[in-house]
Amino acid sequence: MEAKGTHRTLAKNISVMSIGVFISRIFGLIRDQVMAYFFGTTSLNDAFNVGYNIPNLLRRLFGEGALSTAFVPLYNDIKIKQGKEKQIEFALNLLSVLTFILCILTILGIALAPLIVKCLYPGLASETKVLAIKLTRIIFPYLFFIGLSSTFIAILNSHNYFFMTGLSSALLNIGMIATVLIPYFVLKVSGEDLIVWAGGGVLVGGFLQTVINLPYLKKIGYRWAIYLKFGSEALSVLWKRFIPSMIGIGIREINLIADALMASFLPTGSITALNFGNRLMQLPLGIFAISTGTAVLPFYSRCVSTENYQELSESIRFSGLNLAYIMLPVTTIILALGEDFVRILFESGAFQEDAVWMTSQALVFYSLGLIFYGLNQTITPVFYAYKDTKTPVKIAAGMVALNITLNFILMQFMAHRGLALSTSITACVNFFILRTLIRKKMPEISFSGIAINIIKSLLICGVLYLLLYISCNLFPVSGRIALLIRDAILSVITLGLFYLTGILLKIDYLNQAGKKLCQRFLKK
């Protein structure tokens, strides 16, 4: 009964978070459609992606990356051992210090934008580089808003507020959509001036994304006060855990820098095609895998604090297998219908046939690693729950070396597709290393039953891919509407067959997971 209660709580948190993220991702998809229509895979969009990506490198350090993973276990631990008042005091101290640090970083980023763009994207054409520097300076203050917002979200997640925190990034996308459409239709702005407006939309969205969390923080007892104390005991512990985690995230950021640097030497549009392909792959990943990783960290931390390792093992199995049952059929559908999806979503305006091909190829090769990206989100928080931030750093360093080596080799033969494929291969290797180290360092955790259920799922997906391939050849269509109807029907049938076959083969948790997910979405 205890395990069932655990699964219900975890499934509820994951489902609620997933619904919020799902809505946000839909707005993100609309944003991508707007950007694709007006800018395609042109140099304007390449410049925008450069300007947007640079502050996002730091966001992962001070946002939902290193800081959150060090903060959440300590935040929950303080509540258990010292009470809620000390917990809130610790969080206010962190927010005050973080505000100070983010202000300094924002000023430096704006001042040093030319040097940063030159170092990270040396292969950009001169006109693209000038615009990229301008957009970097406009967008860089987004770091301030997202840094605070991500910490607000970490606090709220620890208090079991998941829906609005998952939904908050929708406001970023709404801000960007509005600042492209309104200037275009009302002010008749176009071209380079319009992409500058889109950069301003990032700031508008970041501001909204931050302030939406404030009423919920007040509801759980937060007062607004500056508590700037750099040397507090709790904060000192946080920094000790944060620094190794920051190094680990920083090492992984080298992967993104290497991808960007190498893509800048590829044909025009490669940066944007990789970005669109990655964002489409992030749609299922963000809705389910990242939501799961966010929801399980506070839960894992409480299990470790109370030394309930059986419940922890069950939760890892439950979360990991449920992700596999989503990611594997979704990957199958992408491999068979990925080019159709890109055509349906983006082929209009400045986004033409060559852009469809480049983006769909990036999507397909990114999607090969989808299951491993998802599983990594499930098991990496185990280390943070044990307050071990050093092991992920060591693993990350090895993965960087592997990814850069694969990038250099594969891009010679596959251009931008090689960069996407190397990311997928690295995610696969990363998963098996994480799993091996958890079994070695944490023998109280059991992974029994995971491998056999994933193997069964892979066999089902192999058969489903063949059926999709045959169906597409038996029922060729032309036109966006006809393509949408055919692919929607095939996708629904594929998912239905996967779950029906899985239930017949008695795959663990599948029946329970499907029921809970459907109930949660229908309820909302």
Side-chain angles (χ1 to χ4, degrees):
M1 290 298 291
E2 184 180 354
K4 289 183 179 179
T6 297
H7 293 166
R8 277 196 294 271
T9 301
L10 197 53
K12 177 183 176 182
N13 290 345
I14 292 171
S15 299
V16 169
M17 184 80 176
S18 295
I19 294 164
V21 173
F22 173 75
I23 296 170
S24 297
R25 296 287 172 162
I26 293 301
F27 279 104
L29 191 58
I30 295 170
R31 182 195 90 182
D32 287 344
Q33 289 178 308
V34 169
M35 296 295 287
Y37 178 84
F38 287 104
F39 309 112
T41 52
T42 64
S43 59
L44 291 177
N45 220 342
D46 277 353
F48 177 84
N49 283 306
V50 169
Y52 183 71
N53 289 340
I54 287 173
N56 273 279
L57 293 174
L58 287 172
R59 182 202 76 188
R60 295 181 184 93
L61 295 179
F62 292 95
E64 67 269 25
L67 187 59
S68 294
T69 54
F71 169 76
V72 170
L74 184 58
Y75 183 74
N76 284 302
D77 207 33
I78 289 173
K79 182 180 180 181
I80 292 170
K81 295 177 180 178
Q82 301 180 42
K84 187 175 180 180
E85 186 176 341
K86 287 291 184 181
Q87 183 189 42
I88 291 177
E89 184 180 296
F90 162 62
L92 288 174
N93 189 13
L94 173 62
L95 288 168
S96 300
V97 172
L98 186 61
T99 300
F100 177 75
I101 294 172
L102 290 172
C103 285
I104 293 174
L105 287 175
T106 300
I107 293 168
L108 289 174
I110 293 171
L112 300 176
L115 180 62
I116 296 170
V117 171
K118 183 178 180 181
C119 290
L120 297 185
Y121 297 87
L124 289 178
S126 57
E127 290 184 3
T128 306
K129 186 180 294 184
V130 170
L131 180 58
I133 292 168
K134 182 178 181 179
L135 288 168
T136 299
R137 284 177 162 156
I138 292 170
I139 297 172
F140 211 95
Y142 171 66
L143 172 65
F144 174 81
F145 294 117
I146 195 61
L148 290 179
S149 175
S150 297
T151 307
F152 291 162
I153 288 171
I155 292 169
L156 292 172
N157 288 343
S158 295
H159 292 272
N160 291 324
Y161 283 82
F162 288 98
F163 178 70
M164 185 51 67
T165 58
L167 185 64
S168 64
S169 61
L171 298 172
L172 169 67
N173 296 317
I174 290 170
M176 292 179 65
I177 293 166
T179 52
V180 172
L181 296 182
I182 293 174
Y184 180 80
F185 288 106
V186 177
L187 304 177
K188 308 302 179 184
V189 175
S190 61
E192 183 175 324
D193 291 336
L194 189 60
I195 203 80
V196 171
W197 274 89
V202 177
L203 296 188
V204 173
F207 172 76
L208 295 174
Q209 193 176 359
T210 302
V211 299
I212 193 67
N213 295 300
L214 299 183
Y216 296 93
L217 289 169
K218 186 176 180 181
K219 188 175 180 180
I220 61 176
Y222 274 78
R223 63 193 185 281
W224 305 117
I226 297 174
Y227 191 73
L228 199 61
K229 187 177 180 182
F230 288 91
S232 70
E233 182 180 351
L235 207 58
S236 297
V237 173
L238 176 71
W239 297 137
K240 288 177 183 177
R241 295 177 185 172
F242 166 65
I243 290 171
S245 186
M246 182 184 69
I247 294 170
I249 298 288
I251 290 171
R252 287 193 287 273
E253 295 299 279
I254 296 173
N255 277 333
L256 300 176
I257 293 169
D259 287 352
L261 189 150
M262 293 180 184
S264 71
F265 289 101
L266 293 172
T268 298
S270 295
I271 294 173
T272 299
L274 285 167
N275 184 68
F276 278 136
N278 185 267
R279 282 186 59 78
L280 284 176
M281 183 270 294
Q282 290 284 340
L283 187 61
L285 186 67
I287 292 170
F288 299 106
I290 294 174
S291 299
T292 299
T294 302
V296 298
L297 179 55
F299 194 85
Y300 289 176
S301 299
R302 287 192 286 270
C303 287
V304 173
S305 294
T306 57
E307 299 183 356
N308 193 341
Y309 301 116
Q310 182 179 351
E311 190 172 353
L312 177 60
S313 298
E314 280 294 316
S315 299
I316 293 170
R317 281 196 294 271
F318 178 77
S319 303
L321 286 174
N322 276 280
L323 268 180
Y325 303 151
I326 295 169
M327 295 303 167
L328 288 174
V330 166
T331 300
T332 303
I333 292 169
I334 290 174
L335 292 177
L337 306 175
E339 184 172 337
D340 291 352
F341 293 155
V342 173
R343 199 175 297 280
I344 291 166
L345 292 169
F346 298 136
E347 191 179 27
S348 60
F351 199 97
Q352 295 303 313
E353 188 64 34
D354 58 337
V356 170
W357 182 83
M358 291 179 72
T359 301
S360 64
Q361 290 295 295
L363 171 62
V364 165
F365 284 101
Y366 274 131
S367 70
L368 292 174
L370 198 54
I371 177 64
F372 299 108
Y373 306 140
L375 291 175
N376 289 340
Q377 290 288 333
T378 303
I379 64 175
T380 301
V382 173
F383 291 96
Y384 300 128
Y386 274 82
K387 303 179 179 66
D388 177 6
T389 54
K390 293 182 180 179
T391 299
V393 170
K394 296 174 183 177
I395 297 172
M399 293 306 98
V400 166
L402 175 63
N403 189 63
I404 291 175
T405 302
L406 290 172
N407 273 348
F408 183 76
I409 295 170
L410 294 176
M411 71 180 287
Q412 310 298 324
F413 310 101
M414 302 174 67
H416 72 291
R417 295 172 296 170
L419 302 183
L421 179 58
S422 67
T423 302
S424 295
I425 295 172
T426 301
C428 174
V429 175
N430 192 20
F431 167 72
F432 284 105
I433 292 175
L434 285 169
R435 184 176 179 272
T436 300
L437 288 177
I438 288 175
R439 295 185 71 172
K440 181 179 178 181
K441 300 179 72 138
M442 306 161 194
E444 63 272 15
I445 295 177
S446 171
F447 287 97
S448 63
I450 293 179
I452 185 63
N453 285 288
I454 289 180
I455 290 170
K456 288 180 183 179
S457 301
L458 282 169
L459 292 173
I460 296 170
C461 287
V463 174
L464 292 175
Y465 175 81
L466 291 176
L467 292 176
L468 280 171
Y469 180 80
I470 293 169
S471 299
C472 288
N473 285 284
L474 286 176
F475 304 103
V477 296
S478 60
R480 180 177 290 187
I481 300 300
L483 201 60
L484 174 61
I485 293 171
R486 186 196 70 178
D487 287 359
I489 293 171
L490 289 177
S491 298
V492 170
I493 291 173
T494 299
L495 290 171
L497 286 174
F498 175 83
Y499 286 104
L500 286 173
T501 308
I503 290 169
L504 290 175
L505 293 177
K506 297 181 179 179
I507 294 180
D508 292 346
Y509 303 128
L510 188 61
N511 191 29
Q512 177 187 358
K515 284 181 179 178
K516 286 189 177 297
L517 192 62
C518 290
Q519 286 171 0
R520 182 60 57 180
F521 273 95
L522 289 172
K523 190 181 293 185
K524 291 290 179 182

